[in-house]
């Protein structure tokens, strides 16, 4: 029997979506299954460009349906099923991750490339983008540069006025996905005749233009992560997407939209790898018994399983806050870097736990696991490093823990609706003023679950730390110390949304209790890390050791959870 908590292509039926969404999601699964595991792995190993996949997407209208906002579809006479719907985008991320991150990457950078366009008031550019999507084209996001990375204060893409109301753009961009094939590349640069932020420009370029020069693919992969150069590229008024501060905001707000996709891609990778790992371990005989008979193996696989369930619960609940967002509700600005930082690093832990069990099998070329072990590493490092996103999360800590506000409850948001606010987020500032609903009721609802109660003690202790032992002004310049504090705070946020989603879905208490036993251990480990920091004060060291807790042990509960893990053996194997 299939585990209802994990994606399984054999039983997948996204019945909570509308008919066209269900059709497209199922058609995507079927395309991969018909292609088969051998071909999928060979394409990955040979670094083949994704032409067949993009042809399928174009034929089905997959990208066009999922990535055209309703307003752009209406303006171009598009179909009624076109909208920007975060719930179904998340579902497709998971499918792409399940079959191969190369497919997800082409889709992900298309999303980033579309961000500045859908935020723009340039009607001609919006209509062109909708038309290109309808033709099956991919898009690219020309922000980062070889020398500066994604430091948008230091761009060397220069736009010189041409004397006729337009510009000539010259400069290089580096690490730009889909730069080899994009029908439209959203490129960030600055004017040569205007100083400061007023000189920023986002403009649309075509990778097929004679003044667009593709230099190389900077990675050894099917992902085409390009370096390209513009030499006197003509930029007309119809190509200009944003100018001045609006261009700066469009860059950051696009990343806000795009980096959310990393969490569900990570989930898909882990799910496919878990089927392989458990099946292999359970059927391998060592010293006369299955590998899964060893207690340490059971613990590692059970930990991997509940961590993966936690990833899914958190990410699904974060979707609801994205869809509920508006000018007066910007809670998504915390939950977004959480999905990027916390969920993707949990994905690394899940793969590592399983790899410790299957060992050399994880290197074999005929497994999905071999590529999963490589690709899972990339997600915490894309769209800002873990450290960048953890530092961002810290901006919300005091308000989240100590200064709650009243909000109407947010229900599960899987309805067929257009998430238009994501493209009118406004100025990318004021994070310290964002307020949150009280995190405590989510814990109160599960106060009778032993390890939830144990973790609640640690969360309350963190509130005491912020009140009585928070880093002083000098320590606030010690990012190494602050990041250790950020990990503790991230665990509280992670736990909160897990509990909210558990309540909405009726998650089995055994699984929840086992998951929180892992989170208790994690909090204790990060507290010990804080204790050991060079600049930690005596008061902070005392607090750290006082926050260490031992999870509540229940052998019967753990045995029941193990039965769920053991049942994954043979539950799914990709068609050859």
């Amino acid at each position: 029997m299939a585990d209802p908590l994990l994606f399984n292509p054999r039983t997948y039926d996204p019945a909570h979506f509308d008919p066209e969404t269900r059709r497209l999601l199922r058609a995507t699964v079927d395309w991969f299954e018909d292609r088969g595991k051998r071909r999928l792995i060979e394409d990955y190993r040979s670094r083949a460009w994704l032409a067949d996949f993009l042809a399928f997407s174009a034929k089905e209208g997959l990208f066009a349906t999922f990535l055209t906002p309703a307003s752009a579809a209406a303006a171009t006479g598009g179909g009624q099923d076109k909208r920007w719907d975060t719930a179904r985008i998340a579902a497709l991320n998971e499918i792409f991750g399940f079959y191969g991150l190369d497919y997800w990457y082409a889709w992900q950078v298309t999303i980033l490339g579309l961000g500045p366009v859908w935020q723009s008031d340039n009607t001609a550019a919006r209509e062109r983008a909708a038309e290109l999507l309808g033709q099956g084209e991919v898009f690219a996001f020309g922000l980062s540069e070889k020398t500066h990375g994604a430091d948008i204060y230091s761009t060397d893409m220069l736009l010189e006025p041409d004397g006729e109301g337009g510009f000539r753009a010259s400069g290089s961009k580096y690490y730009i996905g889909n730069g080899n094939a994009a029908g439209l590349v959203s490129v960030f640069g600055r004017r040569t005749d205007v100083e400061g932020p007023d000189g920023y420009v986002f403009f649309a370029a075509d990778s097929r233009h004679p003044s667009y020069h593709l230099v190389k693919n900077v990675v050894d992969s099917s992902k085409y992560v390009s370096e390209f150069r513009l030499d006197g590229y003509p930029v007309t008024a119809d190509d200009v997407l944003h100018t001045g501060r609006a261009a700066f905001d469009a860059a950051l707000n696009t990343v806000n939209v795009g980096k959310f996709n990393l969490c569900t891609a990570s989930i898909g990778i882990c799910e496919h790898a878990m089927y392989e790992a458990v099946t292999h371990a359970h059927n391998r005989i060592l010293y006369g018994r299955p590998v899964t008979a060893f207690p340490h193996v059971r613990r590692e696989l059970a930990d991997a399983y509940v961590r993966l369930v936690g990833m899914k619960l958190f990410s699904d609940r974060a979707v609801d806050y994205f869809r509920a967002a508006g000018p007066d509700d910007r809670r998504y600005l915390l939950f977004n870097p959480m999905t990027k930082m916390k969920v993707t690093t949990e994905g690394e832990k899940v793969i590592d736990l399983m790899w410790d069990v299957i060992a050399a099998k994880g290197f074999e070329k005929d497994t999905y696991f071999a590529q999963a072990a490589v690709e899972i590493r990339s997600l915490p490092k894309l769209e800002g490093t873990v450290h960048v996103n953890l530092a961002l999360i810290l901006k919300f800590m005091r308000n989240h823990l100590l200064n709650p506000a009243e909000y109407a409850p947010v229900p599960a948001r899987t309805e067929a609706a257009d998430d238009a606010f994501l493209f009118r987020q406004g100025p990318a500032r004021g994070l310290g003023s964002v307020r949150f609903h009280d995190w405590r009721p989510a814990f109160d609802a599960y106060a009778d679950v032993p390890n939830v109660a144990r973790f609640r003690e640690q969360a309350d202790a963190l509130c005491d730390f912020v009140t009585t032992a928070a880093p002083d002004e000098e320590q606030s310049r010690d990012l190494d110390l602050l990041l250790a504090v950020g990990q503790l705070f991230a665990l509280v946020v992670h736990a909160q949304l897990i509990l909210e989603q558990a309540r909405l879905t009726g998650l089995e208490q055994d699984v929840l209790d086992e998951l929180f036993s892992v989170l208790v251990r994690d909090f204790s480990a990060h507290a010990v890390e804080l204790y050991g920091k060079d600049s930690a004060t005596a008061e902070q060291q005392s607090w750290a050791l006082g926050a260490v807790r031992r999870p509540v042990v229940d052998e019967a509960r753990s045995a029941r959870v193990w039965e769920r893990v053991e049942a994954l053996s043979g539950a799914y194997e990709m068609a050859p």
Side-chain angles (χ1 to χ4, degrees):
M1 181 177 177
D3 189 313
L5 299 178
L6 302 187
F7 169 75
N8 186 332
R10 291 181 179 175
T11 57
Y12 183 59
D13 179 19
H16 53 290
F17 288 123
D18 62 277
E20 180 61 6
T21 298
R22 290 202 303 273
R23 185 192 74 78
L24 285 169
L25 292 173
R26 188 65 241 184
T28 303
V29 171
D30 291 343
W31 185 85
F32 282 112
E33 290 292 325
D34 290 344
R35 198 164 184 81
K37 185 176 184 179
R38 191 176 299 112
R39 178 70 182 276
L40 204 72
I41 292 173
E42 182 55 34
D43 286 348
Y44 178 78
R45 291 178 60 235
S46 65
R47 304 163 186 81
W49 175 240
L50 312 174
D52 291 350
F53 165 68
L54 295 177
F56 157 77
S57 172
K59 174 178 173 290
E60 296 291 345
L62 181 63
F63 284 20
T65 301
F66 277 47
L67 300 182
T68 309
S71 59
T76 55
Q80 62 179 0
D81 294 303
K82 292 181 178 178
R83 62 183 184 275
W84 196 282
D85 178 335
T86 305
R88 68 179 186 177
I89 286 173
L92 193 55
N93 286 327
E94 185 177 3
I95 291 170
F96 287 154
F98 190 91
Y99 289 107
L101 203 65
D102 290 346
Y103 305 96
W104 171 87
Y105 187 75
W107 147 270
Q108 161 70 356
V109 290
T110 291
I111 287 173
L112 292 172
L114 286 165
V117 180
W118 298 145
Q119 292 176 67
S120 176
D121 293 328
N122 184 330
T123 301
R126 289 168 61 86
E127 290 179 354
R128 178 158 39 121
E131 182 180 348
L132 289 168
L133 271 174
Q135 295 168 4
E137 297 281 0
V138 293
F139 291 67
F141 186 53
L143 181 65
S144 66
E145 299 177 10
K146 190 170 187 177
T147 304
H148 308 295
D151 177 4
I152 55 182
Y153 295 100
S154 305
T155 178
D156 290 329
M157 177 64 70
L158 303 180
L159 287 84
E160 184 175 352
D162 62 7
E164 299 176 1
F167 305 93
R168 293 284 176 175
S170 297
S172 296
K173 292 291 180 179
Y174 191 82
Y175 224 86
I176 310 302
N178 289 352
N180 61 317
L184 188 153
V185 186
S186 296
V187 183
F188 186 84
R190 59 185 173 90
R191 296 174 58 161
T192 59
D193 61 329
V194 178
E195 293 295 323
D198 290 341
Y200 293 138
V201 180
F202 241 126
F203 64 95
D206 184 346
S207 68
R208 298 169 182 85
H209 192 280
S211 297
Y212 181 107
H213 303 287
L214 185 65
V215 178
K216 63 180 178 180
N217 186 356
V218 303
V219 299
D220 188 17
S221 169
S222 294
K223 305 175 194 69
Y224 204 104
V225 186
S226 70
E227 178 182 4
F228 70 80
R229 186 180 72 254
L230 302 184
D231 289 325
Y233 187 98
V235 179
T236 69
D238 283 349
D239 299 320
V240 175
L241 303 173
H242 302 274
T243 60
R245 177 74 197 196
F248 181 93
D249 290 336
L252 296 182
N253 290 336
T254 293
V255 174
N256 280 342
V257 174
K259 71 182 175 184
F260 175 78
N261 300 306
L262 280 71
C263 65
T264 33
S266 181
I267 288 165
I269 291 173
C270 291
E271 287 171 318
H272 197 157
M274 179 158 279
Y275 287 121
E276 275 197 347
V278 175
T279 299
H280 170 73
H282 194 57
N283 290 278
R284 185 172 178 82
I285 305 301
L286 208 59
Y287 308 116
R289 51 183 177 160
V291 168
T292 50
F294 294 92
H296 68 289
V297 168
R298 291 191 173 193
R299 181 192 60 78
E300 288 182 310
L301 291 179
D303 279 6
Y305 174 79
V306 294
R307 283 188 187 276
L308 176 53
V309 170
M311 291 163 65
K312 294 199 73 168
L313 293 168
F314 181 91
S315 300
D316 286 348
R317 186 57 175 152
V319 166
D320 300 333
Y321 289 102
F322 257 69
R323 307 198 76 190
D328 301 318
D329 184 353
R330 302 205 298 162
R331 287 174 285 178
Y332 75 102
L333 291 174
L334 167 59
F335 303 138
N336 189 25
M338 279 289 302
T339 59
K340 151 65 187 128
M341 184 282 296
K342 185 63 180 174
V343 176
T344 61
T345 53
E346 283 291 288
E348 288 189 294
K349 292 175 185 176
V350 168
I351 293 295
D352 286 344
L353 285 163
M354 294 188 294
W355 206 354
D356 281 347
V357 170
I358 67 171
K361 184 70 176 179
F363 294 99
E364 292 184 10
K365 67 180 183 180
D366 61 349
T367 65
Y368 174 84
F369 198 99
Q371 63 176 276
V374 173
E375 301 295 351
I376 200 70
R377 310 295 169 200
S378 64
L379 292 166
K381 299 165 183 65
L382 295 172
E383 325 312 349
T385 64
V386 167
H387 308 101
V388 166
N389 281 276
L390 196 51
L392 177 59
I393 286 164
L394 275 167
K395 295 179 183 293
F396 303 101
M397 181 168 69
R398 183 170 289 273
N399 268 356
H400 182 277
L401 291 177
L402 304 177
N403 191 24
E406 288 293 328
Y407 286 94
V410 173
R413 296 289 303 274
T414 58
E415 75 276 14
D418 193 63
D419 299 335
F421 174 74
L422 297 179
F423 300 109
R424 47 179 177 82
Q425 295 176 55
R429 54 181 181 266
L431 302 185
S433 65
V434 176
R435 303 280 297 281
F436 300 88
H437 60 295
D438 194 343
W439 57 273
R440 294 168 184 83
F443 284 83
D444 294 340
Y446 286 101
D448 59 333
V449 178
N451 281 303
V452 174
R454 186 64 51 89
F455 187 90
R456 171 66 182 273
E457 296 172 15
Q458 295 176 309
D460 286 336
L462 184 60
C463 292
D464 293 338
F465 174 87
V466 174
T467 304
T468 64
D472 58 23
E473 185 176 349
E474 182 177 350
Q475 284 183 312
S476 294
R477 293 190 290 271
D478 181 355
L479 189 57
D480 188 45
L481 177 82
L482 291 181
L483 292 178
V485 176
Q487 290 284 6
L488 294 166
F489 173 51
L491 273 167
V492 176
V493 180
H494 188 57
Q496 176 195 348
L497 262 61
I498 286 171
L499 291 172
E500 290 184 12
Q501 187 67 9
R503 176 64 62 182
L504 289 170
T505 58
L507 181 70
E508 285 187 24
Q509 183 168 311
D510 282 342
V511 176
L512 189 66
D513 200 14
E514 195 77 8
L515 169 57
F516 268 77
S517 74
V518 171
L519 299 186
V520 169
R521 280 189 267 131
D522 286 352
F523 195 100
S524 297
H526 287 303
V528 171
E529 181 186 8
L530 176 62
Y531 172 84
K533 292 299 179 185
D534 292 352
S535 62
T537 66
E539 184 179 19
Q540 290 165 345
Q541 292 174 49
S542 176
W543 175 88
L545 293 184
V548 171
R549 295 288 188 278
R550 184 174 188 267
V552 178
V553 177
D554 182 337
E555 292 184 1
R557 176 201 71 219
S558 296
R560 291 190 295 270
V561 172
W562 169 247
E563 290 175 3
R564 297 179 67 103
V565 180
E566 191 176 38
L568 297 176
S569 175
Y572 168 76
E573 171 65 29
M574 189 173 180

